[in-house]
Amino acid sequence: MNSNLFSLKNLKSNHLLADISEHQTPLLAMGIILLCASLIIIGAFIYYLFQFKQKKSETSIRSSLMIYLMIAVSLVVTILGITGIIMYTQKEVLNTGNNLLGIMIGIYAAGFITLIGLMIFIWFGINKFAISFTDESILFIGEKIDYSKILKIIKDDSKNAVYINYVQGKRSYRRQKFSLNSAFGVWIVKYSELTGHKVEDGNEDEYFKALIKRK
């Protein structure tokens, strides 16, 4: 019974690979998408990092680990995309080598999973790469907060974090959080007066909820 079930699963898997091999164009497209996406991300990041370095600042802080990690992961995606494209050009992979075709699909799957993880990493960690205090704003890589938009900087000991509360647009309130255990959090507290705002002790959640109610 178990032997029959295993054979059936194996047969379905082989049929799936055969179907994929008959429709080869999407395989090439997947490799090109991975390659282009990773190159765009690397290019954009290096461009904004260069702009960040060129901007005159009063003081700044950078995380080399975060920067190198982001570039390294992007290069992994690039390599996976190139590997997939190279495998696509090998006729034996698409015509007769179902095992190799499975490996190729696995490479693409790993590439897209890594790409999604990289995008999440950038989205939630954009303020953890580098920060500087310029004459007019707090500058991140590809983003900034004008001093005129800052409402309050709160150090919440119950959260062990410091928060920068600010206005985005006309009536949209946002906040950036930095752990007091991190170099960034300690740096924000130390140099916050350069923004024209002193750090205030308080309850961040209560303050932010009050802001939201103003809408």
Side-chain angles (χ1 to χ4, degrees):
M1 178 68 178
N2 289 336
S3 178
N4 291 336
L5 183 59
F6 177 78
S7 297
L8 181 60
K9 288 182 177 179
N10 206 23
L11 182 62
K12 288 182 177 179
S13 177
N14 288 337
H15 278 312
L16 177 60
L17 291 173
D19 289 340
I20 292 173
S21 66
E22 290 177 3
H23 302 83
Q24 299 172 8
T25 303
L27 293 176
L28 178 60
M30 290 168 68
I32 292 173
I33 290 171
L34 279 178
L35 180 59
C36 292
S38 61
L39 291 177
I40 289 172
I41 290 173
I42 292 175
F45 185 81
I46 292 175
Y47 170 78
Y48 285 119
L49 181 60
F50 177 77
Q51 292 290 100
F52 177 88
K53 289 181 178 181
Q54 292 296 109
K55 190 74 173 180
K56 184 179 178 181
S57 64
E58 300 293 330
T59 182
S60 64
I61 184 172
R62 282 176 284 179
S63 172
S64 297
L65 176 61
M66 289 282 286
I67 292 171
Y68 290 142
L69 181 60
M70 183 271 167
I71 293 175
V73 174
S74 297
L75 289 175
V76 168
V77 178
T78 302
I79 292 170
L80 290 172
I82 292 173
T83 302
I85 292 172
I86 292 174
M87 291 186 71
Y88 176 85
T89 63
Q90 308 303 310
K91 291 182 179 180
E92 60 271 18
V93 174
L94 298 176
N95 295 334
T96 61
N98 278 340
N99 288 334
L100 292 175
L101 182 59
I103 293 173
M104 182 181 177
I105 295 170
I107 288 173
Y108 281 151
F112 278 103
I113 291 172
T114 306
L115 179 62
I116 292 170
L118 176 64
M119 294 172 70
I120 294 173
F121 176 66
I122 294 173
W123 180 263
F124 289 101
I126 193 65
N127 62 348
K128 304 298 191 300
F129 290 104
I131 311 175
S132 71
F133 286 157
T134 69
D135 292 336
E136 300 177 345
S137 64
I138 301 176
L139 186 66
F140 306 100
I141 294 181
E143 189 178 344
K144 70 175 182 176
I145 303 173
D146 292 331
Y147 294 153
S148 59
K149 298 291 185 179
I150 295 176
L151 300 173
K152 187 176 289 190
I153 302 176
I154 295 179
K155 183 165 76 72
D156 190 332
D157 291 328
S158 66
K159 303 283 188 180
N160 195 34
V162 58
Y163 295 81
I164 301 174
N165 297 275
Y166 61 100
V167 178
Q168 189 176 66
K170 292 184 178 181
R171 298 287 295 175
S172 181
Y173 298 110
R174 295 288 185 269
R175 58 183 175 178
Q176 295 280 3
K177 176 184 177 182
F178 301 89
S179 171
L180 292 174
N181 291 329
S182 69
F184 284 90
V186 173
W187 183 84
I188 290 288
V189 172
K190 183 177 180 179
Y191 294 106
S192 62
E193 291 191 16
L194 291 175
T195 68
H197 299 267
K198 292 183 178 180
V199 174
E200 301 180 30
D201 293 320
N203 187 302
E204 169 61 24
D205 287 341
E206 289 183 0
Y207 174 77
F208 197 72
K209 287 177 181 177
L211 280 180
I212 300 300
K213 289 180 180 179
R214 293 181 187 178
K215 291 185 177 181

mmCIF file of all heavy atoms in Angstrom, residues 57-83:
data_model
loop_
_atom_site.group_PDB
_atom_site.id
_atom_site.type_symbol
_atom_site.label_atom_id
_atom_site.label_comp_id
_atom_site.label_asym_id
_atom_site.label_seq_id
_atom_site.Cartn_x
_atom_site.Cartn_y
_atom_site.Cartn_z
ATOM 1 N N SER A 57 26.513 66.567 7.048
ATOM 2 C CA SER A 57 25.761 66.287 8.278
ATOM 3 C C SER A 57 26.510 66.782 9.503
ATOM 4 O O SER A 57 27.737 66.959 9.480
ATOM 5 C CB SER A 57 25.509 64.789 8.412
ATOM 6 O OG SER A 57 26.729 64.086 8.566
ATOM 7 N N GLU A 58 25.761 67.015 10.568
ATOM 8 C CA GLU A 58 26.346 67.400 11.849
ATOM 9 C C GLU A 58 26.994 66.186 12.509
ATOM 10 O O GLU A 58 28.072 66.268 13.073
ATOM 11 C CB GLU A 58 25.260 67.984 12.759
ATOM 12 C CG GLU A 58 24.565 69.216 12.220
ATOM 13 C CD GLU A 58 25.500 70.416 12.148
ATOM 14 O OE1 GLU A 58 26.432 70.507 12.974
ATOM 15 O OE2 GLU A 58 25.303 71.255 11.249
ATOM 16 N N THR A 59 26.316 65.062 12.430
ATOM 17 C CA THR A 59 26.815 63.805 12.961
ATOM 18 C C THR A 59 26.059 62.660 12.288
ATOM 19 O O THR A 59 24.937 62.854 11.816
ATOM 20 C CB THR A 59 26.637 63.725 14.500
ATOM 21 O OG1 THR A 59 27.175 62.493 14.988
ATOM 22 C CG2 THR A 59 25.172 63.806 14.888
ATOM 23 N N SER A 60 26.659 61.496 12.230
ATOM 24 C CA SER A 60 26.003 60.367 11.569
ATOM 25 C C SER A 60 26.458 59.058 12.188
ATOM 26 O O SER A 60 27.471 58.994 12.894
ATOM 27 C CB SER A 60 26.309 60.365 10.064
ATOM 28 O OG SER A 60 27.697 60.165 9.840
ATOM 29 N N ILE A 61 25.691 58.010 11.910
ATOM 30 C CA ILE A 61 26.006 56.676 12.396
ATOM 31 C C ILE A 61 25.590 55.673 11.324
ATOM 32 O O ILE A 61 24.579 55.859 10.651
ATOM 33 C CB ILE A 61 25.280 56.372 13.742
ATOM 34 C CG1 ILE A 61 25.706 54.998 14.275
ATOM 35 C CG2 ILE A 61 23.776 56.476 13.599
ATOM 36 C CD1 ILE A 61 25.170 54.732 15.685
ATOM 37 N N ARG A 62 26.398 54.630 11.158
ATOM 38 C CA ARG A 62 26.104 53.603 10.159
ATOM 39 C C ARG A 62 26.322 52.219 10.743
ATOM 40 O O ARG A 62 27.166 52.039 11.621
ATOM 41 C CB ARG A 62 26.990 53.771 8.911
ATOM 42 C CG ARG A 62 26.576 54.857 7.969
ATOM 43 C CD ARG A 62 27.563 54.999 6.832
ATOM 44 N NE ARG A 62 28.783 55.680 7.281
ATOM 45 C CZ ARG A 62 29.828 55.913 6.497
ATOM 46 N NH1 ARG A 62 29.823 55.498 5.249
ATOM 47 N NH2 ARG A 62 30.879 56.539 6.949
ATOM 48 N N SER A 63 25.573 51.263 10.231
ATOM 49 C CA SER A 63 25.770 49.866 10.600
ATOM 50 C C SER A 63 26.380 49.145 9.404
ATOM 51 O O SER A 63 25.683 48.797 8.453
ATOM 52 C CB SER A 63 24.439 49.211 10.992
ATOM 53 O OG SER A 63 24.614 47.815 11.174
ATOM 54 N N SER A 64 27.680 48.926 9.469
ATOM 55 C CA SER A 64 28.364 48.235 8.373
ATOM 56 C C SER A 64 27.822 46.825 8.200
ATOM 57 O O SER A 64 27.702 46.333 7.067
ATOM 58 C CB SER A 64 29.871 48.188 8.652
ATOM 59 O OG SER A 64 30.414 49.493 8.688
ATOM 60 N N LEU A 65 27.476 46.182 9.314
ATOM 61 C CA LEU A 65 26.947 44.814 9.258
ATOM 62 C C LEU A 65 25.661 44.762 8.447
ATOM 63 O O LEU A 65 25.500 43.899 7.570
ATOM 64 C CB LEU A 65 26.685 44.288 10.674
ATOM 65 C CG LEU A 65 26.039 42.897 10.771
ATOM 66 C CD1 LEU A 65 26.939 41.850 10.125
ATOM 67 C CD2 LEU A 65 25.743 42.544 12.222
ATOM 68 N N MET A 66 24.735 45.697 8.710
ATOM 69 C CA MET A 66 23.465 45.733 7.992
ATOM 70 C C MET A 66 23.688 46.010 6.507
ATOM 71 O O MET A 66 23.060 45.391 5.641
ATOM 72 C CB MET A 66 22.554 46.806 8.587
ATOM 73 C CG MET A 66 21.993 46.476 9.955
ATOM 74 S SD MET A 66 20.615 45.313 9.880
ATOM 75 C CE MET A 66 19.321 46.393 9.256
ATOM 76 N N ILE A 67 24.583 46.942 6.207
ATOM 77 C CA ILE A 67 24.849 47.313 4.808
ATOM 78 C C ILE A 67 25.452 46.134 4.050
ATOM 79 O O ILE A 67 25.006 45.789 2.951
ATOM 80 C CB ILE A 67 25.773 48.533 4.742
ATOM 81 C CG1 ILE A 67 25.042 49.779 5.279
ATOM 82 C CG2 ILE A 67 26.248 48.781 3.312
ATOM 83 C CD1 ILE A 67 25.920 50.995 5.460
ATOM 84 N N TYR A 68 26.473 45.501 4.635
ATOM 85 C CA TYR A 68 27.128 44.379 3.967
ATOM 86 C C TYR A 68 26.193 43.182 3.844
ATOM 87 O O TYR A 68 26.220 42.455 2.843
ATOM 88 C CB TYR A 68 28.391 43.976 4.730
ATOM 89 C CG TYR A 68 29.506 44.985 4.639
ATOM 90 C CD1 TYR A 68 30.321 45.262 5.737
ATOM 91 C CD2 TYR A 68 29.751 45.683 3.459
ATOM 92 C CE1 TYR A 68 31.345 46.192 5.664
ATOM 93 C CE2 TYR A 68 30.767 46.618 3.371
ATOM 94 C CZ TYR A 68 31.567 46.868 4.476
ATOM 95 O OH TYR A 68 32.573 47.796 4.392
ATOM 96 N N LEU A 69 25.353 42.978 4.867
ATOM 97 C CA LEU A 69 24.405 41.869 4.830
ATOM 98 C C LEU A 69 23.396 42.052 3.712
ATOM 99 O O LEU A 69 23.085 41.112 2.966
ATOM 100 C CB LEU A 69 23.672 41.762 6.178
ATOM 101 C CG LEU A 69 22.643 40.626 6.311
ATOM 102 C CD1 LEU A 69 23.318 39.272 6.117
ATOM 103 C CD2 LEU A 69 21.949 40.698 7.665
ATOM 104 N N MET A 70 22.904 43.286 3.555
ATOM 105 C CA MET A 70 21.930 43.578 2.503
ATOM 106 C C MET A 70 22.533 43.345 1.123
ATOM 107 O O MET A 70 21.916 42.738 0.248
ATOM 108 C CB MET A 70 21.457 45.024 2.651
ATOM 109 C CG MET A 70 20.379 45.456 1.676
ATOM 110 S SD MET A 70 21.129 46.104 0.166
ATOM 111 C CE MET A 70 19.699 46.150 -0.888
ATOM 112 N N ILE A 71 23.770 43.833 0.929
ATOM 113 C CA ILE A 71 24.438 43.654 -0.364
ATOM 114 C C ILE A 71 24.720 42.177 -0.622
ATOM 115 O O ILE A 71 24.545 41.677 -1.745
ATOM 116 C CB ILE A 71 25.737 44.472 -0.412
ATOM 117 C CG1 ILE A 71 25.411 45.978 -0.388
ATOM 118 C CG2 ILE A 71 26.547 44.140 -1.668
ATOM 119 C CD1 ILE A 71 26.626 46.879 -0.300
ATOM 120 N N ALA A 72 25.148 41.446 0.417
ATOM 121 C CA ALA A 72 25.456 40.020 0.273
ATOM 122 C C ALA A 72 24.221 39.217 -0.123
ATOM 123 O O ALA A 72 24.284 38.366 -1.019
ATOM 124 C CB ALA A 72 26.041 39.479 1.579
ATOM 125 N N VAL A 73 23.089 39.496 0.528
ATOM 126 C CA VAL A 73 21.849 38.773 0.215
ATOM 127 C C VAL A 73 21.396 39.098 -1.213
ATOM 128 O O VAL A 73 20.931 38.225 -1.944
ATOM 129 C CB VAL A 73 20.738 39.114 1.229
ATOM 130 C CG1 VAL A 73 19.414 38.476 0.823
ATOM 131 C CG2 VAL A 73 21.123 38.624 2.618
ATOM 132 N N SER A 74 21.545 40.351 -1.613
ATOM 133 C CA SER A 74 21.198 40.748 -2.992
ATOM 134 C C SER A 74 22.053 39.992 -4.000
ATOM 135 O O SER A 74 21.551 39.552 -5.043
ATOM 136 C CB SER A 74 21.390 42.250 -3.177
ATOM 137 O OG SER A 74 20.533 42.990 -2.340
ATOM 138 N N LEU A 75 23.330 39.839 -3.693
ATOM 139 C CA LEU A 75 24.228 39.101 -4.587
ATOM 140 C C LEU A 75 23.856 37.629 -4.662
ATOM 141 O O LEU A 75 23.990 37.000 -5.723
ATOM 142 C CB LEU A 75 25.680 39.261 -4.110
ATOM 143 C CG LEU A 75 26.293 40.652 -4.303
ATOM 144 C CD1 LEU A 75 27.688 40.710 -3.687
ATOM 145 C CD2 LEU A 75 26.350 41.022 -5.775
ATOM 146 N N VAL A 76 23.377 37.067 -3.540
ATOM 147 C CA VAL A 76 22.914 35.667 -3.542
ATOM 148 C C VAL A 76 21.752 35.503 -4.517
ATOM 149 O O VAL A 76 21.708 34.551 -5.309
ATOM 150 C CB VAL A 76 22.495 35.223 -2.131
ATOM 151 C CG1 VAL A 76 21.742 33.881 -2.177
ATOM 152 C CG2 VAL A 76 23.711 35.080 -1.224
ATOM 153 N N VAL A 77 20.796 36.442 -4.473
ATOM 154 C CA VAL A 77 19.659 36.401 -5.395
ATOM 155 C C VAL A 77 20.143 36.525 -6.834
ATOM 156 O O VAL A 77 19.656 35.822 -7.734
ATOM 157 C CB VAL A 77 18.650 37.525 -5.079
ATOM 158 C CG1 VAL A 77 17.492 37.508 -6.082
ATOM 159 C CG2 VAL A 77 18.099 37.367 -3.666
ATOM 160 N N THR A 78 21.101 37.419 -7.063
ATOM 161 C CA THR A 78 21.672 37.589 -8.409
ATOM 162 C C THR A 78 22.292 36.291 -8.905
ATOM 163 O O THR A 78 22.059 35.870 -10.046
ATOM 164 C CB THR A 78 22.742 38.693 -8.400
ATOM 165 O OG1 THR A 78 22.162 39.916 -7.940
ATOM 166 C CG2 THR A 78 23.306 38.906 -9.801
ATOM 167 N N ILE A 79 23.072 35.647 -8.054
ATOM 168 C CA ILE A 79 23.739 34.396 -8.428
ATOM 169 C C ILE A 79 22.725 33.296 -8.723
ATOM 170 O O ILE A 79 22.871 32.535 -9.690
ATOM 171 C CB ILE A 79 24.703 33.950 -7.308
ATOM 172 C CG1 ILE A 79 25.879 34.929 -7.223
ATOM 173 C CG2 ILE A 79 25.212 32.530 -7.560
ATOM 174 C CD1 ILE A 79 26.755 34.736 -6.008
ATOM 175 N N LEU A 80 21.670 33.225 -7.910
ATOM 176 C CA LEU A 80 20.633 32.218 -8.145
ATOM 177 C C LEU A 80 19.933 32.459 -9.486
ATOM 178 O O LEU A 80 19.638 31.513 -10.221
ATOM 179 C CB LEU A 80 19.615 32.227 -7.001
ATOM 180 C CG LEU A 80 20.116 31.705 -5.647
ATOM 181 C CD1 LEU A 80 19.079 31.939 -4.552
ATOM 182 C CD2 LEU A 80 20.459 30.222 -5.733
ATOM 183 N N GLY A 81 19.667 33.739 -9.788
ATOM 184 C CA GLY A 81 19.038 34.068 -11.069
ATOM 185 C C GLY A 81 19.926 33.701 -12.242
ATOM 186 O O GLY A 81 19.462 33.114 -13.226
ATOM 187 N N ILE A 82 21.220 34.030 -12.141
ATOM 188 C CA ILE A 82 22.167 33.704 -13.215
ATOM 189 C C ILE A 82 22.296 32.190 -13.380
ATOM 190 O O ILE A 82 22.334 31.676 -14.508
ATOM 191 C CB ILE A 82 23.547 34.329 -12.925
ATOM 192 C CG1 ILE A 82 23.458 35.859 -13.019
ATOM 193 C CG2 ILE A 82 24.600 33.801 -13.894
ATOM 194 C CD1 ILE A 82 24.728 36.568 -12.588
ATOM 195 N N THR A 83 22.350 31.478 -12.243
ATOM 196 C CA THR A 83 22.455 30.012 -12.291
ATOM 197 C C THR A 83 21.260 29.401 -13.016
ATOM 198 O O THR A 83 21.417 28.494 -13.847
ATOM 199 C CB THR A 83 22.558 29.432 -10.873
ATOM 200 O OG1 THR A 83 23.695 29.991 -10.209
ATOM 201 C CG2 THR A 83 22.704 27.910 -10.916
#
